[in-house]
């Protein structure tokens, strides 16, 4: 048995997302293309006789920051070292960068032994929105990218240009022409996810939810207590929790603007 480690093609990224759906991670239906745009070399698989048996995303956003996610070994191939092989390949791809990941509680101790330190926790809030009138409107990609950089550890223009395209929907709030927040909504295996949800204030974050109708999930940093309370008052319920962890120097962000992370897969 010879194991081949290589970069995934777009259809293979789609297969990896199908695996994520089978694990109950509820990925977006159109995630593959924007994910690949973030770093075409950042999706790595292990293959046996041409069959993908394990894979990982190890997205290098720039020379200083990368993110690990979508770390899955197919259930039929576990216990044979394939998962460790793609992990090692992903970490080699990211090199000396600061690396982020969102770890589930049962894996956080393992990540800690590999040098990852917890920065904060997120909780998945699930509920249904009614699609009420809001001041939220579309915005220019240039403005969104500029706002995004204050809330995310790296410039990610290539990713955003694809993430903001249909079938995803995005909304923004502005004051006197100055962008003060934006949100992206994408269809998932179950309902919709909102992410990122970045805004200057709780009220503006809630305004961004106004036009959205249907069942949604938002991965909210737990320190956003007022926002979580507002969601619960609208019938949202908390679900599973993850911890954002970093290996290397933690990024300096406008964390108070982060009401929903972009995705557990890419940060």
């Amino acid at each position: 048995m010879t194991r081949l480690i290589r970069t995934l093609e777009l259809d293979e990224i789609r297969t990896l997302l199908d695996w994520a759906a089978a694990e109950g991670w509820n990925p977006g239906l159109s995630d593959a293309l924007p994910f690949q745009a973030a770093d075409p070399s950042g999706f790595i698989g292990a293959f046996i006789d041409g069959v993908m048996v394990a894979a990982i995303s190890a997205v290098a956003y720039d020379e200083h920051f990368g993110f690990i996610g979508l770390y899955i070994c197919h259930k039929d191939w576990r216990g044979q070292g394939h998962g460790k092989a793609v992990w090692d390949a992903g970490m080699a791809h990211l090199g000396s960068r600061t690396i982020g990941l969102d770890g589930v509680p049962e894996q956080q101790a393992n990540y800690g032994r590999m040098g990852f330190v917890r920065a904060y926790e997120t909780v998945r809030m699930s509920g249904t929105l009614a699609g009420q009138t809001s001041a939220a409107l579309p915005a220019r990609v240039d403005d969104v990218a500029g706002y995004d950089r204050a809330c995310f550890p790296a410039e990610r223009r290539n990713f955003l240009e694809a993430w903001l395209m249909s079938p995803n929907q995005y909304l923004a709030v502005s004051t006197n022409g100055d962008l003060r927040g934006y949100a992206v909504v994408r269809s998932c295996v179950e309902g919709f996810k909102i992410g990122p949800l970045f805004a200057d204030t709780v009220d503006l974050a809630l305004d961004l939810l106004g036009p959205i109708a249907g069942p949604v999930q938002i991965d909210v940093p737990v320190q956003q207590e007022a926002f979580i309370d507002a969601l619960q008052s609208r019938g949202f319920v908390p679900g599973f929790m993850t911890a954002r962890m970093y290996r290397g120097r933690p990024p300096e962000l406008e964390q108070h603007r982060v009401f929903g992370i972009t995705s557990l897969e890419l940060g």
Side-chain angles (χ1 to χ4, degrees), residues 146 190 256 261:
E190 297 180 5
H256 66 279
I261 66 170

Side-chain angles (χ1 to χ4, degrees), residues 5-8 12-13 16 19 25 39 41-47 52-59 67-73 82-94 99-101 111 116 265-266:
I5 304 293
R6 65 166 174 82
T7 302
L8 301 186
E12 292 162 344
I13 296 174
L16 176 56
W19 291 3
W25 296 359
D39 177 5
S41 300
F43 294 81
I44 300 166
F47 293 80
M52 188 166 75
V53 298
I56 195 168
S57 60
V59 170
F67 201 88
I68 289 281
L70 285 172
Y71 177 34
I72 307 175
C73 183
H82 304 308
K84 179 63 163 54
V86 294
W87 173 272
D88 290 345
M91 296 299 284
H93 176 63
L94 296 180
I99 303 172
L101 58 79
Y111 293 136
F116 287 84
E265 296 85 7
L266 264 67

Side-chain angles (χ1 to χ4, degrees), residues 105-200:
E106 56 266 30
Q107 292 297 328
Q108 289 168 21
N110 290 335
Y111 293 136
R113 286 189 286 271
M114 290 183 279
F116 287 84
V117 177
R118 181 192 306 227
Y120 61 88
E121 290 186 308
T122 62
V123 58
R124 176 157 293 179
M125 301 296 296
S126 301
T128 301
L129 294 172
Q132 300 172 349
T133 302
S134 167
L137 297 167
R140 297 189 314 131
V141 174
D142 285 346
D143 294 336
V144 170
Y147 191 93
D148 184 85
R149 182 61 187 89
C151 305
F152 191 79
E155 190 277 332
R156 50 177 179 170
R157 179 62 182 260
N158 290 343
F159 167 76
L160 286 175
E161 286 180 345
W163 196 242
L164 300 178
M165 289 177 59
S166 178
N168 292 357
Q169 303 175 50
Y170 77 98
L171 296 165
V173 286
S174 301
T175 302
N176 298 324
D178 293 329
L179 191 68
R180 299 191 61 198
Y182 87 98
V184 176
V185 186
R186 74 194 204 275
S187 296
C188 294
V189 174
E190 297 180 5
F192 303 88
K193 283 184 180 176
I194 301 173
L197 175 54
F198 297 158
D200 287 358

